[in-house]
Amino acid sequence: MARVETSSSRPYHLIIFGASGFTGQFVVEEVARVASEGPNGNLKWAVAGRSKQKLEKVLEQAAAELRKPELRSVDVIVADVGEPGSLAAMCKQAVIVLNCVGPYRFFGEQMVKACVENGAHHIDISGEPQFLEGMQLNYDSQAAEQGVYVIGSCGFDSIPADLGVIFTRDQFKGTLTAVESFLTFGAGEDGGCLHDGTWQSAVHSFSEGHELQTLRRKFNHKPLPTVGSKIKRRGNLFFSNEVQQYSVPFLGSDPSVVKRTQRFLLEEHHDKPVQYGAYVGIGGIGNVFKLLFGGLIFWLFVKFSFGRKLLLKHPEFFSFGVFSMDGPTRKQMKDSTFQFEFFGEGYTEGQDPSQGKPNGKIRTLVKGPECAYVATPIVMVQSALTMLNEPTALPKKGGVYTPAALFAKTTLTDRLHKHGIEFTVL
């Protein structure tokens, strides 16, 4: 069992690295809100990053926002991804590092390496399959030897999808064989947007998609066996009767993460793998034209260095306002929501999955607040608290894990439900 206790030489349960970044500031606020949920009601934590002044400003802002003046005295650690010695010194002081520094393809590996080498568990909120799968390929064995957990995509990418599939499987009375998810978003009268850090990750990820295929071949994985009817893939653009919107395949990390989880559960626990298809609703016909035009421009520009520079310099223009350098206002965040609907099929109890077509269906829902800067901090922090409070429910050996592979036997789903990210059967 991996170590989750503090000590005189490792005084912090959590260190938030990149606490002064756009997402990091909200992770700081979330940790402050739920510190009483730490081990024995006393969570020991610190913030870390390149600039002591910016970190102190974030603590000042959090103290004012939450009316907790004691936050001004939270410890500050100066560490920089460009200075490996500073990362090592930081990791030696933490049980878990919450890594909020992206894009992860540029800065993530240095942090994972430092954590593994210095005995700190690593949690990130990456939605970049190339980074996530690269860390599994390069650090899984070393992390296992060190008794360290490295858990990627512990934010909106991709815990609602990954745990949502597990929740749907566990609620189905029989053998679940396939799930489709449909993601939709809600916003208030002021609309909503995302910070351009996510846009940067998307630009770089899509520009190097061919590298992901090369990386995947290095695993030498056999195709996962298909149980029941093979799931039918939808088109690139279609009207979904399920959510009554035009929809497209979801191009984020969810399908990759869910598939890795299903492979782990097959290989480690001999569970029958669940097929998965992920889609996102885009709204009405007006949004379809925006997507077609914007998608065409994106695909043309992302292929060339000059085009990528333009995309990165003008995120708001090229994304029709979905991304901006300023990010959303607090009011926009307060008024925004997300909703995942899962439609599953399988064989009911007593039916043989090797005979005939699936005869049972199930519909579940995962819903919550604004996805990127409200739900993601909640998910990230609750993941860490689950590790600290439920070590015996985690896999016995360290390694690089997907969220559901690590947390399947814990109460993380219940913890999230209590904090506004609800899992229900419809």
Side-chain angles (χ1 to χ4, degrees):
M1 187 175 67
R3 172 197 40 73
V4 295
E5 299 86 12
T6 57
S7 64
S8 58
S9 60
R10 199 178 289 273
Y12 305 110
H13 291 112
L14 303 178
I15 293 179
I16 306 166
F17 181 59
S20 60
F22 192 84
T23 304
Q25 64 182 321
F26 298 114
V27 174
V28 169
E29 292 180 12
E30 185 60 26
V31 169
R33 285 190 191 96
V34 299
S36 62
E37 297 177 24
N40 301 315
N42 181 27
L43 186 71
K44 301 172 184 176
W45 61 288
V47 297
R50 288 184 299 175
S51 168
K52 183 179 180 181
Q53 183 179 7
K54 288 182 179 179
L55 292 167
E56 290 174 342
K57 182 179 179 181
V58 164
L59 292 173
E60 183 73 34
Q61 175 183 298
E65 181 69 24
L66 302 178
R67 297 181 181 179
K68 291 179 177 283
E70 65 272 18
L71 295 180
R72 298 184 179 94
S73 61
V74 169
D75 289 347
V76 171
I77 299 170
V78 176
D80 188 337
V81 291
E83 299 176 4
S86 69
L87 295 184
M90 176 188 69
C91 291
K92 287 175 181 177
Q93 299 180 69
V95 175
I96 303 173
V97 173
L98 302 183
N99 183 7
C100 303
V101 178
Y104 288 93
R105 66 176 300 277
F106 292 131
F107 307 117
E109 183 168 1
Q110 298 94 314
M111 193 67 255
V112 170
K113 183 175 186 291
C115 283
V116 170
E117 291 178 348
N118 294 282
H121 307 302
H122 177 276
I123 291 177
D124 68 54
I125 46 177
S126 172
E128 304 162 43
Q130 186 171 330
F131 165 75
L132 296 166
E133 296 180 40
M135 294 306 96
Q136 183 177 7
L137 182 68
N138 296 329
Y139 290 95
D140 184 55
S141 296
Q142 189 179 354
E145 291 172 3
Q146 297 291 332
V148 167
Y149 298 125
V150 176
I151 317 98
S153 54
C154 282
F156 176 74
D157 295 316
S158 290
I159 278 186
D162 203 20
L163 287 184
V165 171
I166 298 299
F167 176 79
T168 305
R169 181 202 68 179
D170 291 346
Q171 297 299 315
F172 184 74
K173 291 178 171 53
T175 302
L176 188 72
T177 59
V179 173
E180 288 183 317
S181 70
F182 289 84
L183 169 64
T184 54
F185 298 99
E189 60 183 16
D190 291 346
C193 69
L194 297 170
H195 189 258
D196 83 314
T198 304
W199 175 258
Q200 292 178 33
S201 296
V203 170
H204 293 300
S205 293
F206 282 106
S207 70
E208 299 175 355
H210 61 284
E211 294 183 8
L212 180 57
Q213 299 307 316
T214 301
L215 172 67
R216 286 175 173 166
R217 284 194 286 270
K218 294 180 181 179
F219 285 98
N220 293 317
H221 284 321
K222 294 180 180 179
L224 286 173
T226 298
V227 180
S229 302
K230 189 171 183 178
I231 194 170
K232 295 180 180 179
R233 301 298 174 184
R234 311 281 187 122
N236 290 328
L237 175 65
F238 61 96
F239 185 82
S240 165
N241 290 320
E242 291 85 353
V243 293
Q244 291 295 301
Q245 292 186 27
Y246 285 97
S247 301
V248 297
F250 183 68
L251 299 179
S253 61
D254 291 357
S256 162
V257 171
V258 170
K259 188 173 184 178
R260 289 167 58 212
T261 292
Q262 295 304 312
R263 184 176 297 281
F264 171 86
L265 295 175
L266 170 68
E267 295 175 351
E268 296 296 323
H269 303 294
H270 308 291
D271 291 349
K272 289 181 172 62
V274 177
Q275 303 171 74
Y276 179 58
Y279 304 96
V280 57
I282 59 172
I285 195 69
N287 286 344
V288 170
F289 285 114
K290 285 183 181 179
L291 177 70
L292 292 174
F293 179 72
L296 177 62
I297 297 297
F298 185 89
W299 280 110
L300 289 173
F301 279 42
V302 81
K303 295 177 182 295
F304 306 101
S305 176
F306 176 72
R308 289 193 294 274
K309 288 179 180 177
L310 284 176
L311 290 172
L312 293 171
K313 189 174 182 180
H314 304 287
E316 195 162 358
F317 175 78
F318 286 107
S319 69
F320 295 99
V322 175
F323 297 90
S324 80
M325 291 186 174
D326 294 329
T329 65
R330 286 187 181 263
K331 187 176 187 307
Q332 286 177 317
M333 289 189 285
K334 181 181 178 182
D335 294 342
S336 297
T337 60
F338 79 86
Q339 182 166 292
F340 266 104
E341 289 188 67
F342 295 85
F343 297 83
E345 67 175 23
Y347 297 82
T348 55
E349 291 175 339
Q351 298 296 313
D352 186 350
S354 65
Q355 302 294 322
K357 294 182 178 181
N359 67 330
K361 295 184 181 296
I362 187 173
R363 182 182 170 205
T364 61
L365 177 69
V366 179
K367 66 178 182 178
E370 190 276 337
C371 64
Y373 314 110
V374 181
T376 287
I378 292 171
V379 171
M380 187 183 210
V381 174
Q382 288 302 318
S383 297
L385 290 172
T386 301
M387 291 177 64
L388 292 169
N389 288 306
E390 302 178 40
T392 59
L394 303 176
K396 292 182 179 179
K397 67 175 184 178
V400 178
Y401 288 90
T402 59
L406 190 82
F407 295 117
K409 298 183 183 301
T410 70
T411 64
L412 178 56
T413 298
D414 295 332
R415 289 173 180 271
L416 293 174
H417 195 90
K418 291 175 183 176
H419 286 273
I421 298 172
E422 301 175 5
F423 292 70
T424 54
V425 177
L426 299 177

